[in-house]
Amino acid sequence: MKVSREFFSRDTLVVAKELLGKILVREFDGKIIKGRIVETEAYIGPIDKACHAYGLKKTPKVEPLYGEPGIAYVYSIYGMYYCFNIITKEKGSPEGVLIRAIEPLEGLNIISENRFKDSYENITKAQKKNLANGPGKLCIAFNINKQNNWEDLIISDSLYVEESQKSYNEKFCDFDIVETTRIGIDYAEEARYFPWRFYIKDNNFISKK
């Protein structure tokens, strides 16, 4: 079952934590891949110097941050990689959650081909752990790019979030959450110390402890 808009229309920190364990689904070219969300980061524009819309800044690039809860905000970094965020709270309030790491579940060969140009059975154990353990990596693995910017995950059939499913693992919904500081935002002054990164404790597919 798809996650509803009401889920995203709440406090951003709550959404960031409750996205953990949910399933990201990507369909393209008749293929379907799925992964468990295991790490997120919250960004809250009005007070967050790490957010692109800090102080309610408005530019064409950050317009999606002001959109409806549940839409995608995809932007490029270093001119090479993409980061995938989901807008939260309410329209007009620039807040969102960065999906930072995913545990691949279905379509492993497709994910592996996207990342390493090789089948899942041929890649190393280390490569399997590194399939989607970072925002840029997961966008490559799940074929998420600038074309997905503004995509509405509530109505889309190609990119959306599903509720957790215990069928993948008996302990699928039973985990502890680690709350810590975000990564790669040393420029953000006091905001670099905000404990707004969340991940599933002891999960092997997070980007960094």
Side-chain angles (χ1 to χ4, degrees):
M1 184 175 68
K2 278 187 182 181
V3 171
S4 69
R5 197 175 309 280
E6 287 71 26
F7 173 88
F8 295 107
S9 304
R10 299 179 298 152
D11 181 273
T12 301
L13 296 175
V14 172
V15 175
K17 285 186 276 190
E18 293 190 4
L19 272 169
L20 296 175
K22 289 187 168 32
I23 311 301
L24 181 67
V25 182
R26 179 78 169 107
E27 297 187 39
F28 61 98
D29 298 334
K31 306 170 185 175
I32 183 167
I33 53 181
K34 296 185 179 185
R36 181 190 194 193
I37 298 172
V38 297
E39 184 179 358
T40 61
E41 289 182 347
Y43 288 84
I44 301 176
I47 61 171
D48 184 4
K49 291 179 181 177
C51 181
H52 292 165
Y54 170 62
L56 301 180
K57 175 183 177 181
K58 287 189 176 182
T59 66
K61 174 183 177 179
V62 304
E63 275 188 45
L65 276 166
Y66 291 87
E68 292 280 356
I71 70 167
Y73 172 41
V74 181
Y75 61 86
S76 61
I77 54 174
Y78 313 126
M80 299 172 59
Y81 305 108
Y82 293 102
C83 290
F84 166 54
N85 306 255
I86 306 175
I87 302 309
T88 54
K89 194 66 180 287
E90 61 189 10
K91 187 175 182 179
S93 181
E95 304 183 28
V97 175
L98 171 69
I99 308 303
R100 186 165 183 87
I102 287 176
E103 176 183 347
L105 295 172
E106 292 187 24
L108 298 181
N109 276 327
I110 301 168
I111 293 171
S112 181
E113 289 283 353
N114 287 345
R115 273 281 284 132
F116 297 116
K117 308 303 180 186
D118 206 347
S119 66
Y120 185 76
E121 63 181 14
N122 287 338
I123 64 175
T124 66
K125 184 177 180 180
Q127 287 176 315
K128 289 175 180 176
K129 290 180 66 174
N130 287 310
L131 281 169
N133 65 339
K137 297 175 186 178
L138 75 85
C139 282
I140 295 171
F142 276 69
N143 193 32
I144 296 172
N145 53 52
K146 199 67 174 180
Q147 293 181 348
N148 301 109
N149 195 35
W150 282 104
E151 188 161 354
D152 190 336
L153 278 64
I154 312 305
I155 63 175
S156 174
D157 291 322
S158 63
L159 181 65
Y160 53 94
V161 178
E162 288 183 339
E163 294 292 347
S164 305
Q165 299 177 36
K166 289 186 178 181
S167 58
Y168 290 114
N169 189 309
E170 289 182 2
K171 297 182 179 180
F172 201 76
C173 299
D174 182 18
F175 54 80
D176 294 322
I177 295 175
V178 176
E179 302 183 16
T180 186
T181 54
R182 296 170 294 181
I183 297 171
I185 56 165
D186 290 349
Y187 59 85
E189 299 180 4
E190 74 279 355
R192 64 187 290 193
Y193 302 109
F194 294 172
W196 290 356
R197 180 165 68 98
F198 309 97
Y199 65 84
I200 294 177
K201 185 178 180 180
D202 298 326
N203 186 275
N204 291 326
F205 295 88
I206 64 168
S207 65
K208 183 179 179 181
K209 288 189 176 181

